[in-house]
Amino acid sequence: MPKDESLTHTPLSVSHLFDASNHCWNARLIHQLFDEVFAQAILSIPLPYHPKQDKLIWILDSKGRFSVKSTYRVSIAQEPQSDHSDVPWMKLWKARIPERIKMLLWRIGTNSIPTKENLSCRLEHIDPVCTLCKSVSESCVHLFFGWHISRALWYTACWGFRLDQNMVQTFEDIIKLVLEPPVSTLPSYDKWLITLNMAFTVEEIWHLRNNILFQDAHIDISKSSKSVMSRFSNTATALGVIARNHKGEVTGIWGRCRSLCPPLQAEAATLLWAIEIAKREHWHHVVFEGDAKACFEHLSQSDSTPDWLISTFINNILGLALCFSSVKFSWVRRVGNSAAHEVARFALSSIQSFIFHNGNIPPVIEFVCKADYPACISFS
């Protein structure tokens, strides 16, 4: 959506947004034309190395192809869920949210969080009345959605979210709402961002409640809202690459962060970065290993159609693969890729991109590399 509505009818093609000389988006023009959310979404789209013919993509299907089946699935997903549906615990454990918040949500979903109502059921002489509003019992539902401060925080910190009176009636409904948020204007592949934002909001309400009760903190909706937004905006995707020689010895470790994106896209971006590094280092015989099964399946099956989210990445990878004398893509289980994941975690705590060589590898990464392949590093 353009910033200026008068531009809506102005003839403008996507090619006008390219910087052809540098083979990248014209970031300055994009920020001039579009709001920040739309500008960041455009800038996150990868550009192909070689020109490709335009085609229509049905974004509600992972392959980008329209079908009656995909339309049916979308319509079914938008139907109201049964009040007696179970909590989707597996969806919680697989959600792209911090582990500490998963545990908080699990405690809320099992009604084991120490609200005053729960404590009064287990201990004598505990007043169940909410200390914050002094009007009703402090249950999970009241604390996170009934308390007027929490309702205000939901509206200010979570994209203007307004709570329907019948939306949350039990502690289980809280988890269902976070993991299966209401229909929004975001594309289906970006709905996990709503879950992430809602999870941060739940955590902030719990922190705010505890700070008021135990540290005599003052209520500041603006400060709490900014805290949620800061955590959400600072969330990034980390990439980690480890190179070994034919003896298994580590020759280089690379790490960096990029803007938040769907997990599948992050995995494809990491693999593309790895092959770019190999080309830059002038390696001739290479083997690429990783646990991104969806990516490696498409790289080993030339006739398969990749998810449209990573199709450009896959095409660019296959194009660069022609630069090597021999190249092989090999999928490994996640347990066999622990060193690369440690590099990615290290990248999240780093301010800048980094590269390490054997001799200056941080101990935490060196230890995982040693465990991953005992003969690869000699400890001093």
Side-chain angles (χ1 to χ4, degrees):
M1 180 69 66
K3 287 182 179 179
D4 188 348
E5 292 185 2
S6 64
L7 295 175
T8 304
H9 303 291
T10 302
L12 186 68
S13 63
V14 176
S15 60
H16 290 124
L17 304 179
F18 294 159
D19 182 348
S21 59
N22 296 313
H23 191 71
C24 64
W25 291 106
N26 188 333
R28 182 178 179 181
L29 176 60
I30 290 174
H31 282 293
Q32 288 177 349
L33 295 176
F34 300 95
D35 291 331
E36 185 62 25
V37 173
F38 290 96
Q40 290 300 326
I42 294 172
L43 293 173
S44 66
I45 299 174
L47 295 179
Y49 289 154
H50 305 288
K52 294 181 59 181
Q53 186 176 0
D54 292 340
K55 63 179 180 180
L56 294 175
I57 291 178
W58 176 249
I59 65 173
L60 299 180
D61 177 71
S62 62
K63 305 296 184 183
R65 295 176 298 199
F66 173 80
S67 67
V68 175
K69 184 177 182 180
S70 67
T71 308
Y72 174 76
R73 286 178 175 174
V74 172
S75 63
I76 290 297
Q78 294 180 353
E79 290 183 358
Q81 298 295 318
S82 170
D83 294 336
H84 304 289
S85 61
D86 296 329
V87 176
W89 294 116
M90 288 302 297
K91 194 170 184 177
L92 171 63
W93 306 129
K94 293 180 179 180
R96 299 289 295 183
I97 57 179
E99 295 299 322
R100 69 178 188 278
I101 303 184
K102 288 183 183 179
M103 294 306 300
L104 174 62
L105 293 174
W106 173 75
R107 293 172 68 194
I108 294 173
T110 56
N111 200 29
S112 58
I113 196 169
T115 60
K116 296 192 70 176
E117 182 179 82
N118 285 339
L119 290 175
S120 67
C121 296
R122 295 168 172 80
L123 301 172
E124 296 182 356
H125 311 299
I126 296 293
D127 185 0
V129 175
C130 176
T131 308
L132 304 172
C133 66
K134 305 183 186 304
S135 59
V136 297
S137 178
E138 188 195 55
S139 64
C140 283
V141 174
H142 168 71
L143 174 62
F144 292 103
F145 291 96
W147 184 31
H148 68 283
I149 298 299
S150 64
R151 296 176 73 91
L153 187 57
W154 279 110
Y155 180 76
T156 58
C158 199
W159 297 322
F161 172 67
R162 293 181 183 274
L163 182 68
D164 190 316
Q165 291 290 342
N166 299 320
M167 195 173 290
V168 177
Q169 297 182 338
T170 69
F171 52 86
E172 293 178 334
D173 289 339
I174 298 174
I175 311 304
K176 296 175 187 176
L177 179 63
V178 172
L179 297 178
E180 300 170 353
V183 176
S184 73
T185 57
L186 287 179
S188 59
Y189 60 87
D190 273 344
K191 286 184 179 179
W192 66 285
L193 294 174
I194 302 178
T195 292
L196 179 62
N197 197 6
M198 295 184 80
F200 283 140
T201 304
V202 169
E203 183 186 42
E204 180 62 25
I205 293 172
W206 182 242
H207 284 173
L208 180 60
R209 177 259 192 192
N210 291 336
N211 289 337
I212 293 172
L213 292 183
F214 305 117
Q215 299 182 15
D216 295 324
H218 296 290
I219 297 176
D220 188 336
I221 292 295
S222 177
K223 181 178 179 180
S224 295
S225 177
K226 290 179 180 178
S227 176
V228 174
M229 294 177 180
S230 174
R231 273 177 282 176
F232 183 76
S233 61
N234 290 334
T235 303
T237 299
L239 312 183
V241 175
I242 297 178
R244 304 179 189 273
N245 60 20
H246 64 285
K247 297 180 180 179
E249 299 169 338
V250 173
T251 60
I253 294 177
W254 293 262
R256 72 179 184 188
C257 289
R258 57 165 288 163
S259 58
L260 196 63
C261 64
L264 180 60
Q265 200 172 65
E267 292 170 340
T270 304
L271 186 54
L272 176 60
W273 187 34
I275 198 169
E276 288 173 341
I277 292 172
K279 181 177 182 294
R280 187 172 62 247
E281 295 292 326
H282 302 293
W283 296 332
H284 302 289
H285 305 277
V286 290
V287 176
F288 296 95
E289 293 184 347
D291 59 18
K293 192 171 184 179
C295 295
F296 283 89
E297 284 181 346
H298 294 300
L299 291 170
S300 59
Q301 301 174 11
S302 59
D303 59 339
S304 63
T305 303
D307 188 308
W308 69 271
L309 273 175
I310 61 172
S311 60
T312 298
F313 288 102
I314 296 299
N315 290 331
N316 288 340
I317 291 170
L318 292 174
L320 288 178
L322 300 176
C323 300
F324 303 95
S325 300
S326 66
V327 60
K328 179 181 179 182
F329 298 97
S330 179
W331 173 76
V332 296
R333 295 184 181 278
R334 188 178 181 86
V335 68
N337 202 35
S338 57
H341 286 287
E342 187 60 43
V343 173
R345 280 193 288 268
F346 191 86
L348 282 176
S349 61
S350 302
I351 300 177
Q352 297 178 336
S353 302
F354 59 79
I355 176 173
F356 301 119
H357 295 286
N358 200 350
N360 72 333
I361 301 175
V364 63
I365 299 179
E366 189 176 42
F367 178 80
V368 178
C369 289
K370 176 71 174 179
D372 189 40
Y373 195 95
C376 68
I377 296 176
S378 297
F379 285 95
S380 57

